[in-house]
Amino acid sequence: MSRIVFVGLSQVELTRRVVSDLLLAPSLRGELEIVLHDADGGLLATGEALVRALDAEAGARATITVAPDRRRALDGADFVVSYLDVGGFEATLRDFEIPHRYGLRQTIGDTIGIGGIFRGLRTIPFFVELGREMAELCPDAWLLNCGDPMAMIGWAVQEATGFERFAGVCHAVCDTHTYLADLVGRRVDEIDFLSAGLNHQSFVLRFEAEGRSLYPELDALLEPGHVRVEMYRRFGYFPTQSSEHAAEYVPWFLRHPAETARLGVQVEEYLRRSGKNLHLYEETRRALSAGRPLLIRWQHQEPAAAAMLAVLTGEEREVYVNVANKGLIANLPESSCVEVPARVDADGIHPVAVGELPVQLVALHRTFLNVVELTVRAVLDGDRRHVHHAAMVDPNTAATLSLPAIEALCDELIEAHAGLLPAAIRGTTTA
């Protein structure tokens, strides 16, 4: 029996999708133990009710266990699926409201930007502790992280714990492949795709069918007026991140209201998404109380589920993962966490080396990695000054605010999040 542990249950729809995929696999009927852990008793109770309802609907006969103690949950795990939102909606709201008063506009703020930095400061310590516990209690398990900031978490876990069986999984790449295939009127399996880069900043390097590039067809079909299209036209490769994400990684859009209006960029979009997730949580609770069906039978598999199913069934498939670079992308730092395709089979997850990326894409990635590395260093070195440094080199923040304003903003956010941040970040004075 395979032991699959879910750590963090606040994304109820993600749990529902991943568990549905697992329970619908015929060869795994009666072969799965699903263990649920969350520090929030309400989330844990809802997660248990949801998984039991999905199992009954699927007739999968899974063993379902609730484990309030995380170490007990991890002991003997084969996979750990984790989504963490440390501080929840209230922390996210502070990440937007306080910068807004300084005139700093954000769209998503979970991966880069001032919001991404502070989400990293809150989240990295948890994953470092989780990686160390897994190295002790389940060293052969895979940690499949579904949450952000993925590039920061992957870098920190690898450096601070040495735990190597980490893979961040995100649906952005496969969603983009589906989108592009639809645009050119083909099925995804008819197209030879290769995408790579950093999470939420990967690019489609190969887009071919019958040995020829489909980019010329795409050129004739794309409508102007989107950040993704603006980036593609200038850098030569289609980005896998949404326009809302893409706008935050560069200095040219968010500080210009006319540009965000022209390109349809939804400022503070993540607050709307977070509100929708809270609504979905309440809708799920009502559906459970009413006994309505919740199993998702027809969907594109969630990457976390696709990876686990490939290992458990031995049916090889390609899954895009975020892992320690170690030469997978030759012209990015070895210690960085990169997004590449992986061959997944009964022996595990095998990332595929993609060689060197085009120099203009690497230039964009270096800008992103400056923020990632400084945030990781702030946590691992316990150095509050690096919080300021990360914000100073962040493209959108630097394009909008002066240095004194950046420092004041960081200090105010540190105070606002004090109970969720490492002690060294809270207590060290700036130099």
Side-chain angles (χ1 to χ4, degrees):
M1 184 170 285
S2 299
R3 184 176 173 91
I4 299 173
V5 181
F6 287 79
V7 174
L9 301 170
S10 62
Q11 267 278 8
V12 66
E13 188 64 12
L14 175 68
T15 304
R16 179 186 170 203
R17 293 173 69 88
V18 174
V19 172
S20 291
D21 284 339
L22 294 172
L23 297 179
L24 287 170
S27 63
L28 299 181
R29 187 166 287 115
E31 297 297 323
L32 295 176
E33 180 185 11
I34 297 176
V35 182
L36 305 172
H37 168 78
D38 198 290
D40 184 309
L43 291 176
L44 192 57
T46 300
E48 179 186 10
L50 172 62
V51 174
R52 291 193 183 281
L54 295 174
D55 180 63
E57 194 177 342
R61 304 195 308 276
T63 299
I64 300 165
T65 306
V66 173
D69 180 82
R70 192 171 74 219
R71 288 181 62 87
R72 181 170 295 180
L74 295 174
D75 193 14
D78 296 296
F79 298 94
V80 176
V81 181
S82 188
Y83 176 89
L84 261 293
D85 184 10
V86 178
F89 182 74
E90 292 302 317
T92 298
L93 194 60
R94 289 192 288 271
D95 284 342
F96 278 85
E97 287 187 335
I98 294 172
H100 181 85
R101 288 196 280 100
Y102 284 76
L104 183 60
R105 306 168 88 211
Q106 301 179 91
T107 52
I108 305 297
D110 66 354
T111 302
I112 196 172
I114 202 73
I117 292 166
F118 276 85
R119 191 179 179 100
L121 296 175
R122 298 192 299 268
T123 308
I124 289 169
F126 175 88
F127 275 94
V128 168
E129 185 177 353
L130 179 63
R132 288 171 175 159
E133 289 176 344
M134 290 184 65
E136 174 191 353
L137 299 168
C138 51
D140 295 326
W142 283 97
L143 171 54
L144 302 176
N145 171 42
C146 302
D148 297 306
M150 201 166 285
M152 295 179 186
I153 292 168
W155 186 320
V157 168
Q158 173 67 24
E159 178 175 333
T161 74
F163 184 75
E164 296 186 351
R165 295 171 78 87
F166 172 96
V169 284
C170 174
H171 51 74
V173 172
C174 59
D175 285 355
T176 299
H177 290 178
T178 300
Y179 169 70
L180 292 178
D182 287 344
L183 276 180
V184 298
R186 292 173 179 264
R187 298 193 313 270
V188 171
D189 59 9
E190 295 177 325
I191 299 175
D192 179 16
F193 281 108
L194 173 63
S195 296
L198 305 175
N199 183 238
H200 294 164
Q201 199 189 49
S202 286
F203 291 85
V204 180
L205 306 174
R206 188 167 63 239
F207 178 37
E208 298 176 351
E210 292 94 37
R212 61 180 178 82
S213 175
L214 296 177
Y215 268 127
E217 291 184 31
L218 186 66
D219 291 338
L221 296 166
L222 285 175
E223 295 287 340
H226 301 280
V227 171
R228 296 174 94 180
V229 176
E230 296 279 307
M231 296 290 290
Y232 164 58
R233 298 292 192 205
R234 287 162 174 79
F235 286 86
Y237 298 89
F238 199 81
T240 63
Q241 67 274 16
S242 68
S243 288
E244 286 76 22
H245 272 299
E248 294 189 304
Y249 289 74
V250 291
W252 315 306
F253 300 115
L254 285 173
R255 70 176 297 240
H256 304 291
E259 279 294 274
T260 55
R262 178 178 73 88
L263 298 170
V265 175
Q266 298 297 312
V267 177
E268 299 185 348
E269 167 65 17
Y270 195 68
L271 291 181
R272 285 183 280 275
R273 296 185 188 183
S274 297
K276 181 180 178 181
N277 185 54
L278 294 175
H279 177 72
L280 283 172
Y281 178 74
E282 294 303 325
E283 280 289 302
T284 300
R285 292 182 65 188
R286 285 193 287 270
L288 287 167
S289 296
R292 296 200 300 268
L294 285 165
L295 189 71
I296 303 174
R297 295 182 180 274
W298 306 108
Q299 64 173 350
H300 295 298
Q301 281 184 345
E302 280 292 320
M308 289 187 284
L309 288 170
V311 175
L312 294 174
T313 67
E315 297 176 6
E316 181 179 321
R317 64 182 305 161
E318 180 182 82
V319 179
Y320 275 79
V321 297
N322 292 265
V323 292
N325 187 14
K326 297 185 177 179
L328 296 170
I329 297 179
N331 47 352
L332 286 179
E334 287 279 300
S335 53
S336 59
C337 180
V338 297
E339 189 163 61
V340 295
R343 178 177 54 82
V344 188
D345 57 23
D347 294 324
I349 299 172
H350 315 284
V352 176
V354 299
E356 292 194 349
L357 298 185
V359 65
Q360 71 272 26
L361 303 186
V362 170
L364 291 172
H365 292 329
R366 286 179 185 140
T367 302
F368 181 10
L369 286 174
N370 287 337
V371 182
V372 170
E373 183 172 17
L374 285 163
T375 306
V376 170
R377 293 265 60 85
V379 175
L380 299 189
D381 299 346
D383 194 333
R384 178 180 175 135
R385 295 170 302 174
H386 289 326
V387 178
H388 297 84
H389 297 154
M392 289 172 186
V393 302
D394 174 70
N396 180 45
T397 307
T400 307
L401 301 180
S402 67
L403 288 173
I406 291 172
E407 291 174 336
L409 171 58
C410 287
D411 288 341
E412 186 171 346
L413 280 166
I414 288 171
E415 183 177 353
H417 289 303
L420 302 173
L421 302 180
I425 300 298
R426 300 195 305 267
T428 306
T429 58
T430 58

